[in-house]
């Protein structure tokens, strides 16, 4: 990827990390949606996706920028690249709606069935780990690791929204590759910064390291092993765990006035 484009991408990711960290500082991870309504949750979700996913997007954007050398000037190339990123993040915004529903259900489960919540969490972790070992995961991951394959597919896209369509197309494969890892993020607490950093590193290595496909399988085995521990240590999953001393009627770790 050209150095200016890479620096711009990393700068956007760093800005997203900054706002994610400052937001999380006043919003400790916990069960449920942390008192946020759908809009507030989606804003936080998009910040997290920008922070976690944009670095792994560098190979695709590099290939895409090289394919735009015929564009009349740098401003046109920049606008088209931004359109691709917008389409890509739009897919993750749609996934964020599902994430919000899952987080809300997790909060209800933690409050009303605390004994069952760890077992549900273990099952979800095991499912996410098992998915890492499936042919579908490998298929989506190979697509994400091969920008040339993407460019060949989208070369026929025409019209003013062609770049947005390209971002949506790639975002769909990226979601297919990473949904299990995002499920892990939900059950460990959406604003859990330590887990965010771990998952962001996993995504980056899977998509850019030459041993990324083998690494994804190792991650799957580790998630399954982690799932075995959860029923005995439910506090390992803050997204499905409510402190026994907390009032079930209050949003986890949140001031009720912060909902949107």
């Amino acid at each position: 990827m050209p150095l200016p484009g890479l620096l711009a991408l990393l700068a956007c990711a760093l800005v997203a990390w900054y706002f994610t960290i400052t937001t999380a500082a006043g919003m400790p991870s916990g069960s449920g949606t942390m008192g946020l309504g759908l809009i507030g949750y989606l804003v936080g979700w998009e910040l997290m996706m920008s922070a976690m996913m944009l670095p792994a997007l560098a190979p695709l954007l590099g290939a895409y920028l090289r394919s735009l050398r015929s564009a009349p000037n740098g401003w046109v190339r920049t606008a088209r690249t931004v359109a691709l990123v917008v389409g890509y993040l739009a897919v993750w915004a749609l996934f964020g709606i599902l994430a919000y529903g899952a987080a809300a259900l997790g909060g209800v489960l933690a409050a009303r069935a605390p004994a069952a919540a760890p077992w549900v969490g273990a099952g979800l972790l095991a499912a996410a780990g098992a998915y890492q070992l499936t042919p579908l995961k490998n298929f989506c991951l190979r697509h994400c690791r091969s920008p040339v394959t993407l460019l060949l597919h989208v070369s026929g896209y025409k019209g003013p929204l062609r770049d947005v369509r390209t971002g949506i197309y790639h975002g769909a494969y990226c979601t297919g590759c990473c949904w299990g890892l995002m499920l892990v993020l939900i059950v460990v607490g959406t604003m859990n910064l330590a887990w965010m950093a771990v998952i962001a590193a996993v995504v980056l290595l899977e998509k850019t390291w030459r041993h990324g496909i083998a690494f994804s399988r190792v991650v799957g085995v580790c998630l399954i092993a982690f799932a075995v521990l959860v029923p005995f240590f439910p506090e390992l999953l803050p997204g499905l765990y409510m402190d026994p001393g907390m009032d079930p009627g209050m949003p986890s770790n949140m001031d009720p006035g912060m909902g949107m």
Side-chain angles (χ1 to χ4, degrees):
M1 184 175 187
L3 183 59
L6 177 61
L7 292 177
L9 187 69
L10 293 179
C12 290
L14 286 174
V15 169
W17 271 111
Y18 171 78
F19 283 108
T20 298
I21 291 170
T22 55
T23 300
M27 190 185 303
S29 60
S31 62
T33 62
M34 300 161 293
L36 292 172
L38 176 60
I39 300 302
Y41 188 92
L42 286 179
V43 169
W45 180 263
E46 282 295 88
L47 276 175
M48 289 189 298
M49 293 302 102
S50 298
M52 297 170 65
M53 308 303 287
L54 286 184
L57 199 60
L60 167 67
L61 282 180
Y64 201 69
L65 286 171
R66 288 191 292 272
S67 75
L68 298 180
R69 285 177 178 171
S70 60
N73 55 62
W75 289 108
V76 172
R77 287 193 294 272
T78 299
R80 293 188 61 182
T81 302
V82 169
L84 184 150
V85 174
V86 167
Y88 176 79
L89 291 177
V91 176
W92 281 112
L94 291 175
F95 186 87
I97 297 174
L98 298 177
Y100 176 81
L105 288 174
V108 171
L109 183 66
R112 298 185 180 179
W119 293 95
V120 173
L124 294 174
L125 285 174
Y131 181 70
Q132 293 284 113
L133 310 176
T134 64
L136 180 57
K137 164 73 179 191
N138 287 342
F139 175 76
C140 294
L141 181 55
R142 290 181 187 278
H143 175 94
C144 292
R145 290 171 56 88
S146 177
V148 174
T149 301
L150 169 74
L151 294 179
L152 288 174
H153 178 86
V154 304
S155 60
Y157 286 179
K158 305 295 181 183
L161 295 179
R162 61 188 181 277
D163 306 302
V164 176
R165 289 176 62 194
T166 299
I168 291 173
Y169 177 79
H170 182 67
Y173 274 98
C174 188
T175 303
C177 176
C178 301
W179 70 264
L181 297 173
M182 297 307 133
L183 180 62
V184 174
L185 182 61
I186 293 169
V187 299
V188 297
T190 306
M191 297 302 291
N192 190 317
L193 291 174
W195 271 98
M196 281 179 57
V198 169
I199 292 173
V202 168
V203 170
L204 182 63
L205 289 173
E206 281 189 350
K207 293 186 177 184
T208 61
W209 190 26
R210 64 191 182 98
H211 300 300
I213 293 177
F215 175 70
S216 73
R217 295 169 182 157
V218 173
V219 171
V221 173
C222 290
L223 287 176
I224 293 171
F226 182 48
V228 174
L229 297 176
V230 166
F232 307 101
F233 303 97
E235 64 276 8
L236 291 174
L237 296 186
L240 293 173
Y241 178 74
M242 181 170 288
D243 191 322
M246 181 178 295
D247 180 359
M250 291 292 292
S252 175
N253 296 319
M254 282 292 297
D255 185 322
M258 295 183 69
M260 294 181 65

